[in-house]
Amino acid sequence: MQDRVASENTLGDHGIRHLVQHNIRMSERMFDEVSRNGQEVKAIDRLMAHQIMIDHDLGYAMDPVREKVNQGELGADRGHNVLAAKFIRERMASPEDTMNQVFTTEQLQTMHQGILEHDSSRVNFTMDNSAHARRENLLSAIHVADN
C-alpha cells in the first residue's frame, strides 16, 4: 500500500525503493562501519533498524496527511512521523500483535522513538559497547540513512 500511496503525490519516493534500496541499505552500511571500528552490533539491532525503516513513513499513507498532501497542501506532511509512531504504539499495546512476540518492550520503545524522530539530524555514534551505545548507534544510523 505504501508504494501505491507514494505514487499518488509529488513528495518524492517514499515507497519500497526508498525503504529498501536506500534507507535499509544505508543503515546497514552505518552498522558495518561501527562494527569495523570495534562497536558491537547485534542481529536484533539490524532487525530493529529494518522494522523502523519499514514503518517510519507509514504516516504518508494515513489520513489526514495523505488526503491533504494529495490536495496540494505539501506542508501537511509534517505529521507523518507522529502518525507512524502512533501506529507502532498501538501495536505495542496489543499483546497478541506479532511485534510483541519478536521484540521486548524496551526494543519497541526504541523503535517507537526511531520512527518518531527518524527525520532528526542528531547523530551520536558511540563506541563503548554498552547497551546505551548500541541504542544511540541504532538511532544515529536511522537519522543518517533517512536524511
Side-chain angles (χ1 to χ4, degrees):
M1 176 176 159
Q2 189 169 338
D3 208 39
R4 180 176 47 81
V5 171
S7 67
E8 290 177 1
N9 58 57
T10 59
L11 288 176
D13 188 2
H14 287 89
I16 301 300
R17 285 177 306 280
H18 168 68
L19 302 177
V20 177
Q21 292 179 354
H22 181 75
N23 287 20
I24 289 175
R25 187 176 291 162
M26 286 299 296
S27 64
E28 285 290 332
R29 287 181 185 162
M30 297 296 106
F31 282 138
D32 290 346
E33 192 59 34
V34 295
S35 180
R36 265 192 291 281
N37 284 285
Q39 174 64 35
E40 180 179 36
V41 177
K42 294 185 176 184
I44 193 69
D45 302 328
R46 293 176 187 268
L47 181 60
M48 289 169 60
H50 287 212
Q51 191 64 51
I52 290 168
M53 289 307 189
I54 289 167
D55 291 337
H56 82 283
D57 278 342
L58 281 177
Y60 286 120
M62 299 175 184
D63 290 331
V65 171
R66 176 185 180 187
E67 192 174 279
K68 289 188 181 207
V69 167
N70 287 346
Q71 292 171 354
E73 295 180 42
L74 298 183
D77 69 328
R78 288 190 199 108
H80 80 281
N81 58 329
V82 175
L83 289 172
K86 179 183 178 199
F87 173 76
I88 195 166
R89 192 175 60 248
E90 289 171 351
R91 291 186 69 185
M92 290 167 59
S94 173
E96 301 83 33
D97 194 289
T98 54
M99 295 284 275
N100 290 304
Q101 297 169 16
V102 175
F103 301 105
T104 68
T105 300
E106 183 179 333
Q107 290 166 341
L108 287 166
Q109 289 168 344
T110 298
M111 291 167 55
H112 177 268
Q113 181 180 355
I115 292 167
L116 184 62
E117 300 173 355
H118 71 267
D119 54 359
S120 169
S121 59
R122 187 180 69 78
V123 175
N124 185 29
F125 286 108
T126 307
M127 304 297 171
D128 68 14
N129 282 322
S130 66
H132 174 76
R134 286 184 36 237
R135 184 175 187 278
E136 285 298 314
N137 292 342
L138 168 62
L139 295 173
S140 293
I142 297 304
H143 299 161
V144 170
D146 196 54
N147 288 301

